[in-house]
Each structure stands twice: as C-alpha cells, then as structure tokens.
Amino acid sequence: MDRTLILLKPDAIQRGLLGSIISKFENKGFKIMGLKMLQMSKDLSKQHYAHLVDKPFYPDLEKFVTEHPMIAMVIEGKDAVDVVRLIVGPTNASKAPAGTIRGDFSNSTSRNVIHASDSKETAEKEIKRFFKDNDLFKYEFRNGYYLRASDE
Ligand code: IDP
Ligand code: MG
C-alpha cells in the first residue's frame, strides 16, 4: 500500500473546509494513519518548499504557511500518491477540474487549500518531515471486503 502526506493549509482552516476535504479521502476508501495540527516554522517551510525558495512568490508563500496553523495527515491506500494527486487537482486551482478539491474549493494558485506529495519518494521524505513513526497507526478497515477484491 502507498502512503502519502497531505497538508490542509491555513486557508482550509480559515474557510471552514476541513470536514469537506477530509470526507473526500474517506469517501474514496483511504485510511487515515495519522493526523495533527501544527504551525510551520520558517525553517520547515524552507525545507518543505526547497524547490521554490528562489521564486519571486516564495516570501508570500512562507508568510502564508507560517503565520497560522495547518493540518498534516498521512493517508494510506492503493496507489495513494497518484490517486490523491488526481483528487487534489493541479496547482493552479483556476484550471482545476470541477470535482477535484482545488477545482471545487479554490480559484487561486497561491491559496489552493491543500498539499499532497508528488511521488512515492517525496512522500516518504515528507512523512518523516512531519510525523514520527509512533504518531502513525496501523489498523484494518473492518469493511475492507466492500472496498475492493482481494487481488486488487
Ligand atoms: P503542488 O502544491 O501542486 O505540488 P508546487 O509546484 O510543488 O505545487 O508548489 C507548491 C506550492 O507553492 C503550491 O501549492 C502553491 O501554494 C505555491 N505556488 C506554486 N507555484 C506558485 C505560483 O506560481 N504562484 C504562487 N504560488 C505558487
Ligand atoms: Mg509540490
């Protein structure tokens, strides 16, 4: 099973979207392994957005993600990294299809409500950045039979 890191950014909290967003992952059959509220430090922002620190919009991004709490979650499921990115939609929410999280809840690139890891390798690094092993829980869904066949 794949695991991926999701951040529900400060705009998701300010706009009261947490329940609506989390329910999308529950509805899809993904399992939440860990979930917490945190406030990013400037150092953590520079690590997490290392690929963007030289961009002109980075100062606004750092201010936005560090001045208010956010939610971090690890979810697990079949092809979780790729399927979650599909559910999240493209970075520029103005171009995100209806039905995706960004398509339904944002019309912006800089305030696009959610982060999701972009590859399995990134996911493993990002999960370690936000969670200790002890913060993650392994359990079985009792209705797994109704989510997919045993050979899927
Ligand atoms: P992603 O979140 O879809 O993986 P990345 O390119 O990794 O997209 O960018 C990380 C975050 O940086 C975006 O979600 C967005 O908040 C911000 N960002 C990326 N590109 C821009 C931009 O061109 N203008 C403003 N903010 C941006
Ligand atoms: Mg990214």
Side-chain angles (χ1 to χ4, degrees), residues 20-30 147:
S20 304
I21 295 174
I22 291 171
S23 69
K24 295 245 189 198
F25 299 115
E26 291 183 310
N27 291 345
K28 189 74 175 173
F30 286 122
L147 292 174

Side-chain angles (χ1 to χ4, degrees), residues 92-151:
N92 178 357
S94 302
K95 305 238 187 270
T100 64
I101 291 168
R102 286 170 170 167
D104 285 353
F105 298 127
S106 168
N107 194 14
S108 163
T109 301
S110 61
R111 307 290 186 266
N112 58 12
V113 300
I114 186 166
H115 165 85
S117 307
D118 62 11
S119 71
K120 287 191 199 188
E121 296 69 35
T122 315
E124 286 311 309
K125 280 187 209 146
E126 291 184 344
I127 289 168
K128 285 196 176 67
R129 186 173 295 144
F130 288 89
F131 288 88
K132 301 191 186 88
D133 283 348
N134 281 349
D135 294 332
L136 298 176
F137 294 84
K138 286 202 183 300
Y139 59 95
E140 293 307 317
F141 276 150
R142 295 188 181 173
N143 65 348
Y145 177 80
Y146 293 101
L147 292 174
R148 63 183 162 273
S150 54
D151 61 350

Side-chain angles (χ1 to χ4, degrees), residues 84-101:
V84 165
R85 289 284 293 196
L86 280 178
I87 294 172
V88 164
T91 311
N92 178 357
S94 302
K95 305 238 187 270
T100 64
I101 291 168

